[in-house]
Amino acid sequence: MAGKRIGILALQGAFIEHEQAFNRCGARSIEVRSPAQLAEVDGLVIPGGESTAIGKLMREYGLDKAIKDRFAAGMPIWGTCAGMILLAREVADSKQFSLELMDIRVKRNAFGRQINSFEADLEIADIGKTRGIFIRAPYVEKTWGEARILATYQDKIVAVQQGNKLLSTAFHPELTEGGEMHRYFLSML
Ligand code: GLN
């Protein structure tokens, strides 16, 4: 992992927080807004934010195809929250755009109005305990194929991994200090 460059998709949402979290782990990250910048990185994070906005800008900048091409060539991707939605093969009750890479069906804003945002202690397979901050979070309704459930919260799937190339979390690890998930993604590179 030493010397690997992590790209943070920096179109909208919580990209600066991911850069800071990788900094705390001693890893280098760069902001990605174009296919040329994407070509320079060894792994990509799609941050939380608004999945419709990020998806729209992604297509405008030709990043949708570029990301799929890099993924097909072996680049690992981690999606958090809106990023999880953008990785999913299926988005429940919606025709919204996604990259359709991960064998999961996600439900947007799935925890309901009363608990728009909340924090919870989570136990992640292979990683251990972490604090999860959920902000209008999705959850995963269903996985298939090679997708492996890493964590649930109140019986809802909130973290999934697919092979050594895809990771997705419904919560925001960039907003907590521990760095467990960031180090885990680095180990996938
Ligand atoms: N609710 C947002 C969406 O549907 C995701 C929220 C987030 O990323 N914190 O895109």
Side-chain angles (χ1 to χ4, degrees):
M1 93 182 204
K4 298 277 183 186
R5 289 150 308 176
I6 303 110
I8 319 283
L9 190 68
L11 302 175
Q12 190 268 339
F15 53 89
I16 291 168
E17 291 80 355
H18 269 292
E19 290 172 42
Q20 292 166 343
F22 280 116
N23 276 341
R24 289 196 293 273
C25 299
R28 228 157 42 98
S29 61
I30 60 170
E31 295 180 2
V32 170
R33 295 191 181 81
S34 68
Q37 288 166 331
L38 184 71
E40 300 295 311
V41 303
D42 302 299
L44 182 72
V45 174
I46 305 180
E50 200 49 50
S51 56
T52 46
I54 298 173
K56 183 169 179 284
L57 293 169
M58 218 185 243
R59 278 170 293 162
E60 272 179 34
Y61 298 158
L63 277 162
D64 53 340
K65 183 175 182 306
I67 291 170
K68 282 177 177 245
D69 287 350
R70 286 295 319 274
F71 174 75
M75 179 188 71
I77 309 177
W78 173 20
T80 58
C81 204
M84 171 186 254
I85 297 166
L86 284 159
L87 286 179
R89 270 196 205 283
E90 293 181 15
V91 182
D93 313 317
S94 165
K95 295 243 179 301
Q96 95 167 65
F97 168 81
S98 73
L99 294 165
E100 300 179 10
L101 296 178
M102 195 166 197
D103 293 338
I104 58 176
R105 180 168 73 215
V106 299
K107 190 170 163 59
R108 291 182 68 194
N109 305 322
F111 286 96
R113 280 211 189 139
Q114 273 112 335
I115 47 169
N116 245 321
S117 299
F118 60 97
E119 291 189 35
D121 287 321
L122 303 172
E123 179 72 35
I124 319 270
D126 300 343
I127 297 173
K129 291 193 191 316
T130 195
R131 185 83 178 151
I133 298 184
F134 293 80
I135 304 168
R136 297 184 62 224
Y139 61 65
V140 174
E141 283 188 339
K142 189 180 147 192
T143 65
W144 62 94
E146 284 182 32
R148 180 168 76 103
I149 298 168
L150 293 185
T152 59
Y153 172 69
Q154 294 187 342
D155 298 328
K156 311 294 189 202
I157 302 163
V158 295
V160 182
Q161 179 172 357
Q162 187 169 309
N164 225 16
K165 282 177 64 184
L166 291 172
L167 180 66
S168 68
T169 48
F171 51 97
H172 285 262
E174 76 283 9
L175 300 181
T176 47
E177 291 288 315
E180 299 85 7
M181 296 301 309
H182 288 79
R183 283 194 297 276
Y184 189 70
F185 184 63
L186 288 169
S187 78
M188 288 170 60
L189 300 184

